[in-house]
């Protein structure tokens, strides 16, 4: 004989359900906690159910053409000016990177927005967002440990962001990159020099 028709089993199920209901409804705290648990389960099972009115994601900006830039040209790519078209670039140790993907950090209102469109080397070496100059900085007065910090930041940037070109010293001539060269890395460029 199966358990389906067992009267003891059905009375046990009723007793368990009655006990659970009495425990849940016995205090406002239990009711609130039960509602919170049910809401969290709903959010886990249906994470995008409430995002029906979410805006469409931004269209990706095409890659920036490889180019060397002076400080004044780099300054245009701060993510705010009309010339930047929303792009954000910064320089680290003489190399320019397109950090537009990191808009949350380097864009307007971000914690590192002071680096946008500038040479961030000194600021990264000294751990200060305020240590940014508008002029070319040769970094010759930095300590060896600070220069090592810059090299580490340069490595991190090269792994995460697109290399654009070199930051030109005052009076230094630009190098024209062909379409083929625009896909080469900064390491390939350094081998040619």
């Amino acid at each position: 004989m199966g358990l389906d028709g067992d009267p003891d089993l059905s009375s046990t199920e009723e007793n368990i359900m009655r006990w659970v209901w009495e425990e849940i409804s016995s205090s406002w705290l239990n009711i609130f906690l039960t509602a919170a648990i049910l809401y969290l389960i709903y959010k886990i099972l249906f994470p995008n159910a409430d995002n029906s009115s979410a805006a469409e994601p931004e269209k990706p900006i095409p890659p920036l053409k490889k180019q060397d830039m002076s400080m004044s040209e780099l300054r245009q790519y701060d993510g705010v000016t009309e010339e930047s078209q929303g792009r954000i670039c910064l320089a680290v140790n003489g190399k320019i990177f397109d950090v537009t993907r990191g808009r949350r950090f380097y864009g307007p209102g971000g914690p590192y927005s002071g680096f946008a469109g500038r040479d961030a080397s000194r600021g990264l070496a000294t751990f200060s967002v305020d240590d940014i100059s508008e002029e070319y900085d040769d970094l010759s007065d930095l300590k060896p440990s600070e220069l090592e910090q810059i090299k580490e930041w340069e490595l991190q940037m090269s792994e995460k962001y697109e290399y654009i070109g070199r930051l030109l010293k005052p009076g230094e001539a630009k190098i024209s990159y062909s379409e083929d060269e625009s896909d080469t890395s900064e390491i390939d460029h350094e081998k040619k020099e």
Side-chain angles (χ1 to χ4, degrees), residues 64-110:
L64 188 62
K65 184 182 174 215
K66 300 280 187 214
Q67 58 186 309
D68 295 341
M69 295 184 211
S70 66
M71 285 294 291
S72 61
E73 292 169 325
L74 175 62
R75 189 73 183 109
Q76 295 175 19
Y77 294 97
D78 61 359
V80 178
T81 61
E82 194 172 310
E83 297 89 21
S84 73
Q85 298 176 341
R87 282 197 189 283
I88 304 168
C89 292
L90 60 81
V92 177
N93 203 23
K95 295 182 178 145
I96 300 170
F97 298 96
D98 183 349
V99 296
T100 306
R101 286 186 307 167
R103 176 177 306 284
R104 207 171 52 150
F105 298 104
Y106 304 105

Side-chain angles (χ1 to χ4, degrees), residues 15-32:
N15 288 338
I16 290 173
M17 293 303 292
R18 188 177 307 119
W19 174 81
V20 168
W21 176 251
E22 287 172 1
E23 285 297 316
I24 290 173
S25 62
S26 65
S27 78
W28 287 104
L29 179 61
N30 288 351
I31 294 170
F32 173 75

Side-chain angles (χ1 to χ4, degrees), residues 47-148:
N48 295 328
D50 294 338
N51 292 341
S52 59
S53 64
E56 291 182 24
E58 289 184 28
K59 294 178 184 175
I61 300 173
L64 188 62
K65 184 182 174 215
K66 300 280 187 214
Q67 58 186 309
D68 295 341
M69 295 184 211
S70 66
M71 285 294 291
S72 61
E73 292 169 325
L74 175 62
R75 189 73 183 109
Q76 295 175 19
Y77 294 97
D78 61 359
V80 178
T81 61
E82 194 172 310
E83 297 89 21
S84 73
Q85 298 176 341
R87 282 197 189 283
I88 304 168
C89 292
L90 60 81
V92 177
N93 203 23
K95 295 182 178 145
I96 300 170
F97 298 96
D98 183 349
V99 296
T100 306
R101 286 186 307 167
R103 176 177 306 284
R104 207 171 52 150
F105 298 104
Y106 304 105
Y112 302 109
S113 62
F115 294 156
R118 295 189 169 123
D119 183 0
S121 302
R122 182 171 296 275
L124 293 171
T126 59
F127 300 105
S128 173
V129 182
D130 303 324
D131 240 359
I132 306 297
S133 171
E134 298 291 326
E135 302 298 320
Y136 182 83
D137 188 353
D138 66 1
L139 309 172
S140 60
D141 61 328
L142 292 179
K143 300 174 196 166
S145 62
E146 292 171 330
L147 291 171
E148 189 61 35

